[in-house]
Each structure stands twice: as structure tokens, then as C-alpha cells.
Amino acid sequence: MVRLEPRRQHSQAMVYLSPVLATLMTLIVGGIIFSFMGKNPFDALYTFFILPINNSYGISELFVKATPLVIIAIGLSMGFRANVWNIGAEGQLTMGAIFGGGLALYFYDSESMFLLPAMFVLGAIGGAFWGGIPALLRTRFNANEILTSLMLTYVATLFLSFLVHGPWRNPEGFNFPESRPFPDAGLLPVIYDGTRVHLGTAFAVLVVIAGWILLSKSVIGFQLRVVGKAPQAAPPCRVPPETHGLVYPVAGRRTFRSCRFVRGCRADWPVAACHIARLRLYRNYCCLPWTVASAGYPVWRADYGADISGWGIGPDYVGAAKCGDRPVSGDFAVLPAGL
């Protein structure tokens, strides 16, 4: 009998092949649909994918449109890693624009060099405020963040429509529903003459690099992945799972410089004790190899001062760390082997 079993580890090949396969399937299915509609599929796909970027102006507009989307995507990826499904990015972008743009409109004749940084700060506050509403509803009332964040997008859009049709309407705009133009001090400098490509494009690239470092190389990123992949790790570490990565699930008060006690609360939960030890040593500039330890197997023996031995393996406990020959006490933690 054929039986499907989940992988213990994600396929590294599929990590890179998935977007390629998705693109190919999109082209194939789209071509079939256009053929049924009596259209030339090659002409249709060329119109959609090639024609908009067949000149320098089209490419520059692509960068302008992609800049805010890239920054939004990095912010969303933080929540997705912690298993928080924020679907209201458009509304948070809109509310951030209202906060930042409102400052520019209030000082519409300003030439201050501090106007643009202040707009950045207010824009971040506005987006965080709008994104914090679903978080509050989730933690206090257990409301689904997918629905609340999505519905708040329409609220933000309607609020912006109210502003441009009402109190923010340009008095010199011939009654069109638009605001005053921003002052030059409130505009990002253009980095490529003849186009609208501005400094925000370069900033988006830096955000991508910073996001990758935060998620893959930092303790905070490790904690986000722990809470997202192993909600069971939160209660043993005295961390409410509904906080979703805004806390420190594997941090403990009783630690030594390069030693960390790690014990699984139940043997049927997958445990990667060596990675907790590696996390502690990583913070002291010591890198351990990526060896996975799981329930029922001998726990890996580390170097650099942290001795992850098989002490404590049994039906209730998986492993422990010792500093030399002396056990080190600490808090509990439970992690999946993939981490």
C-alpha cells in the first residue's frame, strides 16, 4: 500500500524549484485559457510579461511600483515565520501613508530637512498602529487575524477616500478628489534622471538584506521560527503561544557563558537540543555544526565547552547539557528537529 508521510526535513531542492515550477505552470495554464478564448497565447503572454518592460521607462516604473511591495513583503515574512497570517498589508500601507502624508500636508510649504525623516517615523507608526489592531484582537479576544487584518484594509481605504474628498482636498485642485502636492522637502530624491526611480529603491534592497540577516542569523529570527514551527515550545518556556514571536521562548535567567541546560518535556515531541546549545554559543561567537537531535536518539556531543550528552534520555526527558562534568540548570524548551 502506498502511504504518504511528511518529510522530517524540507527538501532544499524544492526551495529553489518551487518558484520555477509555479512560473511554468502559470505560463502553461494561462496559455491554455487564452487559447480557449480565441487569443494567441504567445501574444497575450508577451503583452502581460514582456511589453511593460521592453524599454527603460517601463523598467523604471517597475522599480517604482515594486519598492513599497518589497518592503511590505519583508515585514510580512517576519509574521509568517512566526505563523501570524497578516493579510492586511495594503491597509497598513494606506494608514502609514495617511500618517506620513498628513505631516507633509500640514507643513505643505516647509523646506525643513527634518520633514522627510519625520514622515518616515510617522508612516512606520501609522502602519504599526493599524497592524496592532488585529494583534490586539487576537491576543485579547482570539479573533482570527486573517479576517480582521483583511477587513481593516477596506476601512483604511475608505478613511483615505473620506480625507481626499473632505478635509484634505486641495483648495486649488478645481474640486478634484486629491490633496495638495507634497513639498520638495517631503519627496525622496530621484536617483536616475528622467525617471521616477527614487532613493527608496536602494532602501528596499537594504531592507531585503537586513531581513535575511535578522531571520537567518540572529537570535530574534531563531525565536520567530521556534514559535512559528513549534507552538508547544511556548508553554514549557513560560511563553504564551498567542504572543507569536514577540517574546523570547528559549531565553532563560539561569545560564552560564557557554553552557545551556536543555531538556525536552515529552519524548514524543521532536527536540533539537543541540541547536539550543548552538544558539547559546553563537551569542558568544562560537559556531557549532548543524547536527539534528530528536526524541529517542542519542543527543549530540558538542565542543567549545558545552557537553550535550545522553544524560536524562528516557520516556519523559530527552537530553541535557553539562559544563564539563557539572550539569547546568535552566529553563525548559521543546523544539522541532528541523530547527
Side-chain angles (χ1 to χ4, degrees):
M1 177 183 294
V2 178
R3 184 175 61 181
L4 298 178
E5 294 183 356
R7 295 176 180 264
R8 291 181 63 88
Q9 298 288 338
H10 294 295
S11 171
Q12 290 297 320
M14 290 305 299
V15 171
Y16 301 100
L17 289 177
S18 294
V20 177
L21 294 176
T23 302
L24 291 177
M25 291 302 298
T26 300
L27 296 176
I28 293 173
V29 174
I32 294 174
I33 293 174
F34 286 122
S35 298
F36 283 136
M37 296 173 63
K39 306 293 183 181
N40 188 325
F42 295 100
D43 291 342
L45 295 175
Y46 176 85
T47 302
F48 274 99
F49 295 103
I50 305 300
L51 188 60
I53 55 173
N54 65 351
N55 53 49
S56 59
Y57 175 79
I59 295 175
S60 66
E61 287 299 300
L62 175 64
F63 281 116
V64 172
K65 300 296 193 302
T67 294
L69 299 180
V70 168
I71 297 175
I72 287 173
I74 297 300
L76 291 177
S77 67
M78 304 293 176
F80 293 161
R81 282 302 182 99
N83 207 24
V84 177
W85 302 102
N86 179 8
I87 313 297
E90 182 181 353
Q92 292 148 31
L93 171 67
T94 302
M95 191 56 62
I98 290 174
F99 273 61
L103 182 66
L105 294 176
Y106 186 81
F107 297 101
Y108 67 92
D109 57 351
S110 173
E111 298 180 359
S112 173
M113 61 180 296
F114 300 106
L115 179 60
L116 192 59
M119 291 173 62
F120 287 161
V121 173
L122 277 182
I125 293 174
F129 163 73
W130 210 242
I133 297 176
L136 177 64
L137 295 175
R138 172 62 185 268
T139 56
R140 288 297 184 91
F141 306 104
N142 200 29
N144 190 298
E145 73 274 13
I146 297 177
L147 296 177
T148 54
S149 60
L150 179 61
M151 294 299 102
L152 283 172
T153 296
Y154 300 102
V155 177
T157 304
L158 290 173
F159 183 57
L160 177 62
S161 177
F162 160 74
L163 291 175
V164 297
H165 282 85
W168 283 7
R169 178 180 292 182
N170 186 1
E172 301 174 358
F174 303 101
N175 211 30
F176 283 100
E178 61 182 14
S179 69
R180 290 179 182 270
F182 287 2
D184 292 339
L187 300 176
L188 286 167
V190 174
I191 60 177
Y192 190 76
D193 292 337
T195 68
R196 297 196 301 153
V197 179
H198 50 73
L199 192 60
T201 304
F203 178 74
V205 176
L206 296 178
V207 168
V208 171
I209 298 173
W212 174 75
I213 294 174
L214 180 65
L215 286 176
S216 61
K217 303 296 182 181
S218 72
V219 176
I220 295 176
F222 183 86
Q223 293 160 350
L224 289 173
R225 288 182 284 137
V226 167
V227 177
K229 291 186 176 181
Q232 302 97 328
C237 302
R238 307 181 185 93
V239 175
E242 64 269 11
T243 53
H244 291 291
L246 301 179
V247 289
Y248 296 86
V250 296
R253 293 186 298 274
R254 298 180 298 276
T255 59
F256 286 83
R257 287 183 58 85
S258 295
C259 300
R260 175 67 171 157
F261 176 90
V262 181
R263 177 179 291 176
C265 293
R266 287 179 54 188
D268 58 345
W269 286 350
V271 176
C274 62
H275 289 283
I276 297 282
R278 184 186 185 279
L279 173 63
R280 302 303 304 176
L281 296 177
Y282 177 82
R283 297 185 67 178
N284 289 278
Y285 309 102
C286 296
C287 295
L288 298 181
W290 288 101
T291 306
V292 174
S294 60
Y297 293 92
V299 184
W300 170 76
R301 186 180 180 90
D303 294 321
Y304 304 104
D307 180 11
I308 309 297
S309 67
W311 182 82
I313 294 180
D316 297 322
Y317 303 111
V318 175
K322 296 187 296 182
C323 190
D325 295 328
R326 176 165 51 91
V328 179
S329 62
D331 296 333
F332 291 101
V334 178
L335 297 174
L339 289 172

